[in-house]
Amino acid sequence: MERLSRFIFTAPSWPRSLVIIIALGLLIDLALLRTKEPILFFGTIAFTLPAVVAFLTTRPLVRLLGKELSWNRSGLLSFASVILGIIVTALAAIGSESGFLLPITYAGSLGVVLSLRMPVLVAIADYRLHRMIVPSALQSLAGLGAGYLYFGSEFLWWAISLLLIFGIGSSIFIWLIDHPLKRSFGVSGLSFLNALIAHMTDGSKTLEGFFRDIGEEVTVPQASIIFSRSGRPNAVITAPNVHPGPMGEIGSANLPKMLHDSFNEEVLITHGCATHDFNLVSEDEAAKIATALKSSFRDLTFAEGASKSLRTRHGSVEILTQRFTDAVMMVSTRSPERTEDIDYNIGIAIMAEGHRWFRDVVFVDAHNCMTDLSSPVLPATLIGTEYYRAALAALEEAASLPMEPLSVGISHKDLPFSREEGFGDLGVQVLITAVGNQKTAYVLFDGNNMHEGAREEIQSAITDLVDDAEIMTTDSHVVNTISGKNPIGLAVPSDLVIPHVRAAVIEAIADLTPAEVAGATTWCEKLNIFGSQRIVQFASTVNVLLIFIPPLSLGMLILAFVLSILIFSIIG
C-alpha cells in the first residue's frame, strides 16, 4: 500500500493553473501571427476559452450531482486537457501547408480531451460513469463551438463522430480497469479511489463502508494485567490482538485512544500480534473490545506478588518478561534490527505455550525500531521462529522466579508534538514496577514505531532512574495518512523527547504504591476486520493494474485514432 502513495499528489492552486491556461492561448496566438495565413485569436478561443468554461462549470455540476471536486483539481484538469489538446493539434497538423488538416486535428484533440477527463473525473469525483459523462464533456463541447466559429458546420460532423469514438473507447478503458477489482472483491476499485480522495481532502469516512464490504468477522483473545493500588487509581496494561490501522481516522487507526478513553482507570494499550489484515473496518468496532474488556475486569481476584523482570534473547529477538502471580507479561523487540508487526498466529502460539505455566499471558510487540517499511513477521519464517523460541525460553524461566511484594507507579503526559511529527493523541504513558530493589519502566508512546536508534537513546537517558526499561509504541496509525513511515524520533529528534520521558518516569516513581495484581483474558467476539490477506490481495491487484494502465490507455487511443481515420476515409 505504501508503494501506491506515490500516485497521490496535491493539485496546484487554481489561479496558477488559470494563468498558465491563458498564457498558453496567447502564446499560440502570437505564434500564428508569424504564419502565412494567420488565424486570429485561435489559441485564445479554441483552447483557453473552452478550458476556462470547463473550469468554471465542472465543479458546480459535480457538486449538483452530490459529489465534491475542489477548484484546484478542476483547474488542474482543465490545464492538463489544454496541454494534451495543443500537443495533438500541433503534432497532427505539422507539415500541412494548406491548413486542411487543422479542422480534423482540432476535432481529434477534442476527442482526446474527452478521453482524459472521463477516467479522471470517474476516479476523483464519482465512479458512476453515467453521472460523469456531461461534466467530462464540458471542455470538448465548448471546443465544438469554437470549431464551428472557425471551420463551419462541416466541422461539427467530424468532431461529433470523434467524440463518440473516443467516448466509447474511454468507457471501455474505465470498465477494463474497474472489472478486476469487482470480480476479485465484489466492489468497485474506482469507488475505493473516490473514497480515498474524499478522506484525504475533507476527512470523509466513506472508506469504512468499502472496508466493511470486503471485511470478515473474527473472534480474538485479549489478555490484560490489572493493578489494584490502595487509595490510588487502578492501572491496566493490555494487548489487543487487532491492528490500529489503516490510516488517519479510518477504521481502528486511533484504537489506542478510543480504548483508553473508554475506562476510568489508566489503561496502557500496547501493540499485540496483528497485521493490517486485522484492522477493524470502522471505529464502531472498538466499542465491542471495550465492552469485552470491561466484562473481564469484573469479579477479579487480586493477589500480592510479582517477580523481578528478566531479559531473554534468541537470535535477533529479545524479550523483557515479568511474572505477576499467575499471569505473565512479555515485551518483545528486535531493536536495533527492525521490529515490525507480528502475525496473529505467532502470538496465539506463544499465548498457548504460556498457558502451560500461567493462566493469563500478555504478549506485546514493542514495535520500536523502524529501519524501513517492510513486511510483517510471518509464522515459520526465521524471525517468526526466533520470536517463538525466545518467548518459550522466557516463559520457562519466569515460571520458576520467586514472588516478592510489588509496588506500581503510573504517569501519563501529553506531548507538545503533533500527529504530523509522529505523535498520537495519548502522548506518553509510563508504568513502573518495583520489586525488591529493582525498578522496571514500561514506557509507551502513542505512535507508529520508532526511528532506528531512538529506543536505545531513550533507554540510555533513564538508566539513572530505573534498573531496566522497555520503550514501546501503540502502533497508532492516526499519525499516518497514506505513508506508513512516520516513526517517533524521525521528525522530532530524541533529545527533544527525552526531557518529557524523564519527567514522566520521575512522576511515576513518585507515584509508586503497594499493589495487588490480577490477570484477565477475554474473547472479543464478532469483530469485523479487513480479513486474511485482503490488504495484500487488494494492493497486488491494484499494482498489477497500474502496470497495464499505460499500455492499455495508449492502445485505446491508437485504436480510436485508427477508427477515426477509417471513418474519414469512408466518408471522404
Side-chain angles (χ1 to χ4, degrees):
M1 291 295 285
E2 164 67 15
R3 288 193 295 271
L4 298 180
S5 67
R6 67 185 185 272
F7 297 101
I8 304 297
F9 62 92
T10 301
S13 62
W14 65 263
R16 183 183 303 177
S17 298
L18 207 57
V19 166
I20 297 175
I21 289 171
I22 294 171
L24 285 172
L26 293 175
L27 287 173
I28 293 173
D29 289 338
L30 291 174
L32 289 176
L33 289 175
R34 302 172 63 87
T35 61
K36 294 180 180 179
E37 299 178 4
I39 305 177
L40 296 179
F41 306 113
F42 183 74
T44 300
I45 295 176
F47 294 107
T48 296
L49 187 59
V52 172
V53 169
F55 164 70
L56 293 174
T57 57
T58 300
R59 181 174 185 265
L61 184 55
V62 168
R63 296 191 71 181
L64 185 65
L65 294 170
K67 294 296 180 178
E68 187 57 56
L69 180 70
S70 68
W71 285 115
N72 290 344
R73 291 183 182 274
S74 180
L76 179 61
L77 181 57
S78 295
F79 164 63
S81 299
V82 164
I83 293 294
L84 194 59
I86 290 173
I87 291 173
V88 171
T89 303
L91 289 178
I94 288 175
S96 173
E97 296 182 0
S98 64
F100 169 75
L101 288 179
L102 185 58
I104 298 176
T105 56
Y106 180 63
S109 75
L110 298 182
V112 173
V113 165
L114 177 64
S115 68
L116 168 68
R117 290 175 61 89
M118 280 178 65
V120 169
L121 286 176
V122 165
I124 69 175
D126 192 334
Y127 70 96
R128 292 164 292 189
L129 177 59
H130 65 279
R131 293 167 64 92
M132 289 296 103
I133 289 177
V134 173
S136 301
L138 290 172
Q139 193 159 341
S140 297
L141 292 176
L144 283 179
Y148 175 74
L149 179 65
Y150 283 104
F151 309 120
S153 57
E154 185 178 358
F155 167 82
L156 295 179
W157 294 108
W158 292 106
I160 291 172
S161 299
L162 283 170
L163 288 178
L164 288 174
I165 291 171
F166 279 94
I168 293 171
S170 188
S171 300
I172 295 171
F173 171 73
I174 291 169
W175 180 85
L176 286 173
I177 64 175
D178 199 36
H179 181 67
L181 288 168
K182 278 189 176 179
R183 185 174 61 184
S184 299
F185 300 98
V187 293
S188 168
L190 290 170
S191 72
F192 171 79
L193 191 54
N194 290 171
L196 176 62
I197 291 172
H199 169 67
M200 296 187 65
T201 54
D202 58 17
S204 167
K205 292 192 176 183
T206 52
L207 265 178
E208 291 187 349
F210 175 88
F211 293 140
R212 189 175 288 106
D213 290 340
I214 69 171
E216 63 184 26
E217 201 171 78
V218 297
T219 297
V220 299
Q222 182 164 335
S224 310
I225 295 176
I226 304 93
F227 302 96
S228 176
R229 307 187 304 154
S230 178
R232 298 289 182 92
N234 288 357
V236 178
I237 189 162
T238 187
N241 287 305
V242 293
H243 190 270
M247 59 191 180
E249 296 283 356
I250 296 297
S252 54
N254 207 10
L255 179 67
K257 170 71 169 174
M258 290 185 283
L259 290 182
H260 174 273
D261 292 351
S262 299
F263 295 88
N264 296 322
E265 301 91 342
E266 184 62 26
V267 184
L268 281 72
I269 312 295
T270 63
H271 184 37
C273 291
T275 66
H276 276 275
D277 289 336
F278 280 70
N279 287 333
L280 302 178
V281 299
S282 73
E283 64 178 33
D284 295 338
E285 298 296 311
K288 298 179 182 178
I289 298 177
T291 299
L293 283 177
K294 289 177 181 178
S295 178
S296 71
F297 294 168
R298 300 191 191 115
D299 303 322
L300 293 172
T301 301
F302 289 92
E304 294 182 352
S307 73
K308 293 180 179 179
S309 62
L310 63 96
R311 286 191 179 269
T312 307
R313 174 174 286 276
H314 185 91
S316 64
V317 175
E318 185 175 79
I319 298 181
L320 176 64
T321 304
Q322 191 163 12
R323 175 184 178 182
F324 302 96
T325 63
D326 57 354
V328 66
M329 181 170 69
M330 295 181 288
V331 183
S332 63
T333 182
R334 295 182 68 243
S335 184
E337 298 186 53
R338 80 173 165 86
T339 304
E340 195 44 86
D341 293 341
I342 303 172
D343 187 81
Y344 171 79
N345 293 299
I346 295 175
I348 287 297
I350 291 171
M351 291 175 71
E353 289 285 2
H355 288 154
R356 291 159 53 186
W357 298 281
F358 303 98
R359 191 187 70 179
D360 304 291
V361 180
V362 179
F363 186 79
V364 177
D365 170 17
H367 209 258
N368 57 5
C369 184
M370 174 175 280
T371 57
D372 198 1
L373 289 166
S374 53
S375 302
V377 179
L378 299 177
T381 61
L382 174 61
I383 297 175
T385 303
E386 287 179 349
Y387 271 100
Y388 177 80
R389 290 177 175 171
L392 193 59
L395 288 164
E396 290 177 343
E397 189 172 354
S400 62
L401 293 177
M403 297 293 99
E404 300 180 50
L406 167 70
S407 292
V408 171
I410 56 174
S411 175
H412 183 182
K413 286 191 173 296
D414 295 329
L415 296 175
F417 310 116
S418 66
R419 291 180 175 183
E420 290 73 22
E421 293 171 311
F423 293 83
D425 304 338
L426 291 177
V428 63
Q429 297 168 279
V430 175
L431 184 145
I432 291 182
T433 62
V435 179
N437 60 356
Q438 184 200 58
K439 294 186 184 71
T440 304
Y442 298 93
V443 180
L444 178 64
F445 285 101
D446 192 21
N448 181 0
N449 220 314
M450 304 189 74
H451 187 53
E452 183 180 9
R455 173 245 189 190
E456 284 74 19
E457 292 175 8
I458 295 172
Q459 268 185 329
S460 177
I462 59 175
T463 53
D464 61 321
L465 301 175
V466 294
D467 300 289
D468 204 349
E470 192 54 79
I471 318 299
M472 306 172 284
T473 68
T474 61
D475 196 23
S476 169
H477 277 55
V478 76
V479 300
N480 305 110
T481 50
I482 291 295
S483 173
K485 192 171 185 177
N486 190 19
I488 288 170
L490 179 63
V492 179
S494 298
D495 58 357
L496 297 181
V497 179
I498 286 171
H500 301 283
V501 177
R502 284 186 59 86
V505 171
I506 291 170
E507 185 177 289
I509 292 173
D511 186 57
L512 280 170
T513 306
E516 294 182 330
V517 64
T521 301
T522 186
W523 288 92
C524 303
E525 298 185 352
K526 297 182 178 179
L527 298 178
N528 290 312
I529 63 169
F530 280 19
S532 179
Q533 298 299 311
R534 290 298 179 92
I535 285 292
V536 174
Q537 293 168 6
F538 180 78
S540 298
T541 303
V542 173
N543 275 300
V544 169
L545 281 175
L546 291 173
I547 293 173
F548 286 100
I549 280 177
L552 183 62
S553 57
L554 179 62
M556 294 302 299
L557 282 175
I558 293 173
L559 178 61
F561 275 117
V562 170
L563 289 176
S564 303
I565 294 171
L566 289 175
I567 291 175
F568 292 157
S569 300
I570 294 171
I571 294 176

